[in-house]
Structure formats: structure tokens, C-alpha cells
Amino acid sequence: MAERTAETAAAAGTVDIGGDITVNRLGCGAMRLTGPGVWGPPPNPAEALAVLRRAVELQVNFIDTADSYGPEVSERLIAEALYPYPDDLVIATKGGMVRPGPDEWVPNGRPEHLRAACESSLRRLRLEQIPLYQLHRPDPRVPFDESVGALVTLKDEGKIRHIGLSNVTDEQIDQAERLTPIVSVQNRYNMLDRESDPIVDRCAWQDMTFIPWAPVREAGESQAALIIAERHHATPTQVMLAWLLARAPVMLPIPGTASVSHLEENVGAAGLELGPDELAALNQNR
């Protein structure tokens, strides 16, 4: 199938985060720049560094990571590849998950852990302040107010600029907003998995950035995406990303990859405009 050539992420337009940060509306997720099971170093470190550098060349200026990716590996690679950072580059990271082993994820929302995680991320990323720091997942063993409160304290100390939430419910957003402004939500969301539809709508009317993780699914699962991709000389992945961009103006997709060619394919979706009939067909294709 033909593939749209890489434009730049600027073709997707921009989104404001927290009222004082503006980024191009197609970012890059850095989870896949690690080893199998999101554990250890990547099989090809040189390619991982090349992905990050090529992303910046393509005007991707929002990179999403977490201390648990590797763990620590993704953040170290970002600093190695891109420091000193371009003035417009925004690095968002997350804390609140620990990794006993490959493919194992355990929430840890204790305030002392979140403080240690944030301060370690600052050192690895070589930042004085993290522009957007997100609670990776609520910890059922820790009162949610305590976890969010720890981030509020870190923000008051100047270590965090803005606070976001990940893997949360509507009720948890309400609870957090009673303590502090929340500027972003990062939940699983894609064309074929729309459980977070109500939260996307909430983010749109509150002007809160929505960052979908797992933004694309297997192309073969959507016949409509295959047909529309052929029509636009694009790939089904590009169509799925274009659908996300059309879904809400606050949407900030962060497709991840460990391949420069796949990165260029993802960025090629930035300027893909879908017609009303195409969007309707994709909306029906769950």
C-alpha cells in the first residue's frame, strides 16, 4: 500500500497545555525505545537515538515518557539524544509505577515514592523543572488525595510546572481538581477502543489536553481504515491517527516506535484530512 510521505508534525496544528505551553498536535511516545517487555536497553541503541533526533527534525516537540519505561532507560535515551534541548521541546514524564520485571507493572502512589521518582526524573532528563508530570496510575493502596497532594507539593517547590493524570476515571479527575488544576489526561484510547469517550468530551469542554496511549490498533481490524487509506494513498495507521486528530481539538496523539521509518509514517498523518463521510464510516467501525 502507498504511504504518505513524512510532512512535519506542525501540519497537525497546535494544542495548548495548561495555558502557557504550546506544542504541535502530533507527539512521540518513548516507551518503545526500550527492550522487550519495556525492560532494559533497546536491541539497537543507535536506532533509538536516531528516532528521537529524527522526531525533532520533523518538528515533533512533545515527547512522552515515564520513569518506569526501562525502567529509567527511556528518560536516559532522551537526554543522551537531545540535550541540550531545543527551546520549544516539551518532555512529559510520569511517576507512580514500579517494575519488578519485564511486562510487570505495579502502582506505587506513596508520596515518598512520587517525590523520589520525580527528583530522579529531573536528574536523568537534566531538567530543572518538568513541564508536565503525570501520575501514571492511581494506587488502590494509597488514598488518591495523598498521591495527588504529593504532586501539588512538588509543583509548589518548582519541580513540576503542570500536573496531569493517567489511567483515571471521571470521578478521580473530579477528586484531583479539588486539590489542584489538572491540565491533561492520558488514558488508553483509539478508534477501536473508545471507553474513554466521555473523558475525551470532558477534556474538550474544559480545554484540558487528552493524550491517548495505544493510539492505533492492528490495521486489519478496521476494514473502513483500509479502504480510506487506499483512497488517500496512506496507510491504515495514518488514517487511525488522522481520526484521532479530528476527534477533538485537545487531542494530542503520541504514537510510539523504535524505527525511524515508522516514525516518519506516523508523522505523515499530521496533514491527512478526512472528509465527513469518511469520519462517519470510521466512527461506525468499532
Side-chain angles (χ1 to χ4, degrees), residues 231-248:
R231 185 181 304 153
H232 286 273
H233 305 290
T235 67
T237 292
Q238 290 171 331
V239 170
M240 291 181 177
L241 289 171
W243 176 86
L244 280 171
L245 290 168
R247 171 64 178 82

Side-chain angles (χ1 to χ4, degrees), residues 14-16 25 204 207-209 244-252:
T14 60
V15 64
D16 290 336
R25 209 160 62 94
D207 201 22
M208 184 189 303
T209 306
L244 280 171
L245 290 168
R247 171 64 178 82
V250 296
M251 188 75 70
L252 175 53

Side-chain angles (χ1 to χ4, degrees), residues 271-282:
L272 175 56
E273 295 187 15
L274 303 175
D277 292 345
E278 293 171 329
L279 290 170
L282 293 169

Side-chain angles (χ1 to χ4, degrees), residues 16-43:
D16 290 336
I17 302 173
D20 60 359
I21 295 175
T22 301
V23 296
N24 292 329
R25 209 160 62 94
L26 191 62
C28 178
M31 184 181 76
R32 294 177 180 267
L33 301 178
T34 59
V38 198
W39 186 262

